[in-house]
Amino acid sequence: MNRDDARRLWPRPPLLPRPILMDQRWERLVFLHWRVPSSAVAPLLPRGCAPDEFDGSSWVGLIGFHMVGAGLGYRHPVPYFGTFGEINVRLYSIDAEGRRGVVFRSLEATRLAVVLGTNAARVPYRWSSIDIDDDSRTIGYRSRRLAPPRRGATTDFGVVRGSRDMSEDPLAVFLTARWGLHTSLAGRLLYVPNVHRHWPLVDAELTHCADELVAAAGLPGVSTRPPDSVLYSPGVETQFGKPYVVLSGGSPKH
């Protein structure tokens, strides 16, 4: 993907199929990303997807943020349960219809009810304790998983917020302009669409990273080295639409 391709992703997100199923805000996001071989990512994706690539590589992300006001429908935040810390490990996918998405390998969350409810829908939330340390200049995320699988897995990372606008950087756009997620249910590939405005993104400097979640997600050794991309965003509001089945046939389109 070149700079022109990256910019074409942003002008207008796809129309969100109605009804709106979920509405939420993501705040104070730290994005850490590492280059990984596509051959390491492919076995971890749902059938019908292939690794999406930038500059000849696939990528794995470790993202910490504050979920605020999540709720069903539009503008119906759930008190207490709709606001919590989250840290996820995600991969980047593309399907046979050329639709780019993310695939979540794990999502740490502090609300047990959210974990139980989403696991019933085969979304891999994991119950964890999460601390967010934020002094307006530096921000850090720290968690410990409280239940299986991989109970006790931890992560601890932090950054210094920068000031350089990264919202049109081609790699940053590739990693953040994703209009849905791929998942599998009953052997069928599903796409869950979402929309949000253009990410406000700035550069960031890593202060520390001691992570076990990426290895627990199936990619050992990756997060033991410095990330290849470090970004920060104050956040966006987003809505999710009705999932639909991705038609099979042909190879995933790059």
Side-chain angles (χ1 to χ4, degrees), residues 15-84:
L15 293 175
L16 189 68
R18 294 300 193 262
I20 293 175
L21 296 188
M22 293 184 292
D23 178 74
Q24 54 198 234
R25 181 169 177 81
W26 304 327
E27 296 184 351
R28 297 185 290 170
L29 295 98
V30 174
F31 297 90
L32 306 183
H33 282 94
W34 290 264
R35 290 178 181 270
V36 288
S38 293
S39 58
V41 170
L44 304 177
L45 300 180
R47 186 174 181 180
C49 287
D52 201 4
E53 296 180 345
F54 181 93
D55 195 23
S57 297
S58 194
W59 296 74
V60 57
L62 177 66
I63 294 98
F65 66 100
H66 193 198
M67 176 82 79
V68 177
L72 299 177
Y74 184 65
R75 304 290 184 181
H76 297 294
V78 177
Y80 179 73
F81 292 105
T83 298
F84 52 89

Side-chain angles (χ1 to χ4, degrees), residues 17 47-48 95-97 99 181-193 241-249:
R47 186 174 181 180
D95 61 35
E97 298 175 20
R99 193 176 293 105
L181 66 94
H182 288 109
T183 189
S184 180
L185 184 63
R188 297 185 299 175
L189 180 64
L190 299 183
Y191 187 77
V192 185
K242 183 180 178 180
Y244 52 90
V245 177
V246 177
L247 298 177
S248 60

Side-chain angles (χ1 to χ4, degrees), residues 140-241:
Y141 285 84
R142 183 171 60 254
S143 78
R144 175 178 291 274
R145 192 172 293 178
L146 300 175
R150 302 297 290 268
R151 180 176 181 174
T154 63
T155 194
D156 184 356
F157 58 91
V159 302
V160 177
R161 297 170 171 93
S163 58
R164 181 161 56 98
D165 180 16
M166 299 292 287
S167 60
E168 297 292 347
D169 175 80
L171 175 59
V173 171
F174 172 87
L175 296 171
T176 61
R178 319 297 294 193
W179 305 119
L181 66 94
H182 288 109
T183 189
S184 180
L185 184 63
R188 297 185 299 175
L189 180 64
L190 299 183
Y191 187 77
V192 185
N194 79 293
V195 295
H196 54 74
R197 67 186 177 90
H198 194 139
W199 280 102
L201 292 165
V202 296
D203 66 320
E205 180 182 351
L206 186 73
T207 58
H208 64 282
C209 181
D211 173 68
E212 298 174 348
L213 297 183
V214 172
L219 290 161
V222 172
S223 59
T224 59
R225 55 183 170 86
D228 298 291
S229 171
V230 183
L231 299 167
Y232 173 79
S233 176
V236 294
E237 291 185 1
T238 186
Q239 291 82 44
F240 286 83

